[in-house]
Structures are given as C-alpha cells and as structure tokens.
C-alpha cells in the first residue's frame, strides 16, 4: 500500500512537471505589455484591452543602425521593450547591419533560437558545439538558424555593407557577448590571461578596448 502511494505521488509530480508554462498572452488572445510594470517569467502585465489599438501591433523602427563602432555593426531590435505587442507570444525580431570588415562577435542567446534571413551583401555565419563547427557563407535569400544557447557569430565577408533580418523564439532573447564577458569586466588581467592563455599585454589591450579594468589579482574588489 505504501509503495502504491509513493508511485501515485511520483506520478503526480511527473504530471505537474509536464504542464507547459503559460504566459499572459496564451491565456488571452494577446497581451500588449504594460512596460510601466515589472517583467516576470510570464512576461509583463497586460495593457487594458480597452486601451489597445491597431497601432500597438505595428512597429516601424527596423531601420538601418549606426555601424560606426568597434564591431562595425548595428542591431536594431523589435523586442518586447521596443514592441510591446510581442509580450508573451514567444517571438521578436531585429535588423542586423554590418559594414564592410565588421562582425558580430561570438555570443549566445540563452533564452532563444535565432533565425537569420539574408537581405543584402554577404555574411559568413556559424555556430559551434563541443564537437563540431557549422559555418556557411550566406547570400540574399538564404536563411540560417542558430539553435538556442549555441555560441555563434556573423562576419561580413563581402565587399560592401551586409543586411539581414533576425527572428527570435522569445519576446526578450537576451545576449551574452564573449568579448564583453571576458574583457569588459573588473576581473584581474592576470587571471584572464591565465585562464585564456593570452599574453597579459594583449589582455590589457582588449580590456582597454572593451571598457574593462586592469586590476592586479591581489587587489580587493
């Protein structure tokens, strides 16, 4: 009898864990975000339906970004904080512009799969796993998918500006750029050099470029 009770309890736990996570938008037809309130795993609270208009479902901001920066690239986003109508829908978009010689460095999106749709120019893109590299040079009309959480990159490998549109499986995909994580912090240059096998002078140069601090490993934080 006791063993049967344990089995029933285990079954109940497995059933509960299999229930999908619901956002506000999946319970209602939609949920235009009220950005004045807090964000949560379910998304933002909904704007009152009586205050929603057709304009809420249109975003006109995917224009060319400024590529005059370290990466010679610009990402113009239509995430939930830009386009509140995608709140809870598990989707968002962006525009990617990369000048000649520019790139988007190694990065991940922990919470989303990314779809890249080529529009203009040429981009060499790829992602890697512990066991393989998947890389391809893309032309207009090509589509490349980056699975969720995989380390990936995009490089303008052509002779002119490159443009692509991006789609994400999250209203707020987030991003972790490897260069900024390694060199845009206050971790001592000595430790960064020891853990990356880079020359200490090169580490200091990269920290200066990405806004990090060149602290001694003996200095308290």
């Amino acid at each position: 009898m006791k063993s049967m009770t344990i089995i029933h309890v285990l079954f109940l736990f497995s059933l509960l864990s299999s229930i999908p996570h619901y956002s506000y938008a999946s319970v209602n037809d939609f949920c235009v975000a009220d950005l004045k309130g807090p964000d949560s795993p379910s998304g933002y609270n909904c704007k009152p339906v009586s205050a929603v208009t057709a304009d809420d479902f249109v975003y006109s901001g995917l224009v060319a970004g400024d590529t005059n920066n370290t990466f010679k690239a610009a990402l113009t986003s239509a995430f939930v904080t830009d386009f509140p109508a995608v709140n809870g829908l598990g989707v968002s978009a962006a525009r990617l512009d990369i000048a000649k010689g520019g790139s988007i460095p190694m990065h991940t999106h922990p919470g989303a799969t990314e779809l890249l749709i080529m529009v203009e120019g040429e981009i060499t893109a790829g992602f890697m796993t512990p066991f393989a590299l998947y890389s391809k040079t893309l032309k207009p009309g090509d589509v490349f998918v980056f699975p969720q959480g995989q380390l990936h990159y995009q490089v303008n490998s052509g002779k002119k500006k490159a443009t692509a549109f991006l789609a994400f499986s999250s209203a707020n995909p987030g991003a972790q750029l490897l260069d900024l994580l390694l060199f845009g912090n206050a971790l001592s240059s000595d430790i960064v050099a020891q853990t990356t096998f880079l020359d200490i002078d090169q580490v200091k140069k990269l920290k200066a470029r990405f806004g990090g601090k060149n602290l001694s490993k003996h200095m308290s934080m």
Side-chain angles (χ1 to χ4, degrees):
M1 186 69 178
K2 184 176 181 181
S3 62
M4 288 299 295
T5 302
I6 294 174
I7 291 173
H8 289 156
V9 171
L10 291 175
F11 174 76
L12 179 60
F13 273 113
S14 64
L15 182 64
L16 290 173
S17 65
S18 68
I19 296 175
H21 169 74
Y22 290 103
S23 66
Y24 296 125
S26 65
V27 175
N28 305 300
D29 293 326
F30 55 81
C31 178
V32 177
D34 177 5
L35 298 180
K36 295 179 181 178
D39 193 7
S40 74
S42 299
Y44 288 91
N45 290 329
C46 305
K47 182 178 178 180
V49 174
S50 59
V52 174
T53 70
D55 289 339
D56 286 305
F57 299 98
V58 178
Y59 182 68
S60 303
L62 288 187
V63 297
D66 183 7
T67 58
N68 185 26
N69 53 57
T70 297
F71 302 118
K72 297 183 180 179
L75 183 78
T76 307
S77 63
F79 301 156
V80 66
T81 50
D82 314 297
F83 188 18
V86 302
N87 182 48
L89 297 179
V91 65
S92 60
R95 171 176 172 150
L96 176 63
D97 293 285
I98 310 178
K100 180 181 177 181
S103 66
I104 299 295
M106 298 287 182
H107 64 285
T108 67
H109 302 291
T113 291
E114 176 183 349
L115 198 68
L116 183 150
I117 305 165
M118 280 296 300
V119 175
E120 175 187 2
E122 177 184 294
I123 290 177
T124 297
F127 70 92
M128 59 203 67
T129 72
F131 311 104
L133 167 67
Y134 303 92
S135 181
K136 192 75 174 179
T137 297
L138 308 173
K139 306 287 186 179
D142 289 340
V143 178
F144 195 104
V145 63
F146 305 95
Q148 179 175 335
Q150 298 299 320
L151 190 66
H152 63 283
Y153 62 91
Q154 294 104 4
V155 175
N156 186 338
S157 52
K159 298 180 179 179
K160 62 177 184 178
K161 170 188 171 183
T163 300
F165 286 102
L166 311 175
F168 298 91
S169 63
S170 170
N172 192 14
Q176 294 183 344
L177 273 68
L178 187 59
D179 289 351
L180 294 179
L181 288 173
L182 284 174
F183 308 113
N185 57 59
L187 185 62
S188 78
S189 298
D190 298 313
I191 292 179
V192 175
Q194 290 172 4
T195 56
T196 61
F197 300 100
L198 293 173
D199 183 86
I200 185 68
D201 291 333
Q202 183 65 24
V203 169
K204 290 181 178 180
K205 179 180 178 181
L206 289 168
K207 275 184 165 268
R209 184 172 185 178
F210 292 106
K213 297 179 180 179
N214 291 312
L215 299 178
S216 164
K217 64 182 177 181
H218 302 298
M219 184 178 294
S220 60
M221 304 298 294

